[in-house]
Amino acid sequence: MSIRPAFARVLPATLLAVLVLAGCAAVGPGADPDSPGPGLAGPAQPGPEPLVPSGEATFIGEVDLDPKPAASLDGRGNLSLVTYGSSSCPPVVAGVEATSADTIAIALDASAEGPCTADIAPTTHTVPLPAGLTERPTTVQIKYVNEPWEYTIPVS
């Protein structure tokens, strides 16, 4: 059994590494420095023009940043009310009363104190119809407690 010197074991690996790296180098002394080299794509091409030039705003459609509540009757003596607000602090029903034979007043209040996410998410509330409500179609008046928001929604 012969013992080969250490350089005899390392030499083939070193030569292979030199050959691989030499293949990645630019070709010849007159090679174009902007050339990507053999086997690679050409220089980067500019991308498409931006859709909106810098500093200008273009709106394709309107975005409703204040979606209105919606309501419907479920036929089982309940009103379904969809409101919009922070998903981490959705409004809660603070009170329900019949103000006339065809009108319901619903008070909504904040559900939490402190920081809330700045998003707009729907929340569905199921509210039993008050006893004094006897006529259809119905009108729902929504008032947010401690807020200036009021909505009147016709419901059939």
Side-chain angles (χ1 to χ4, degrees), residues 17 48 55 81 109 121 134:
L81 176 66
D109 201 0
T134 58

Side-chain angles (χ1 to χ4, degrees), residues 62-76:
E62 291 187 26
V63 176
D64 189 0
L65 296 178
D66 184 23
K68 310 301 183 262
S72 66
L73 299 172
D74 70 1
R76 294 184 302 242

Side-chain angles (χ1 to χ4, degrees), residues 83-106:
T83 60
Y84 295 86
S86 170
S87 63
S88 62
C89 305
V92 294
V93 175
V96 178
E97 69 174 306
T99 57
S100 71
D102 69 345
T103 305
I104 305 169
I106 298 178

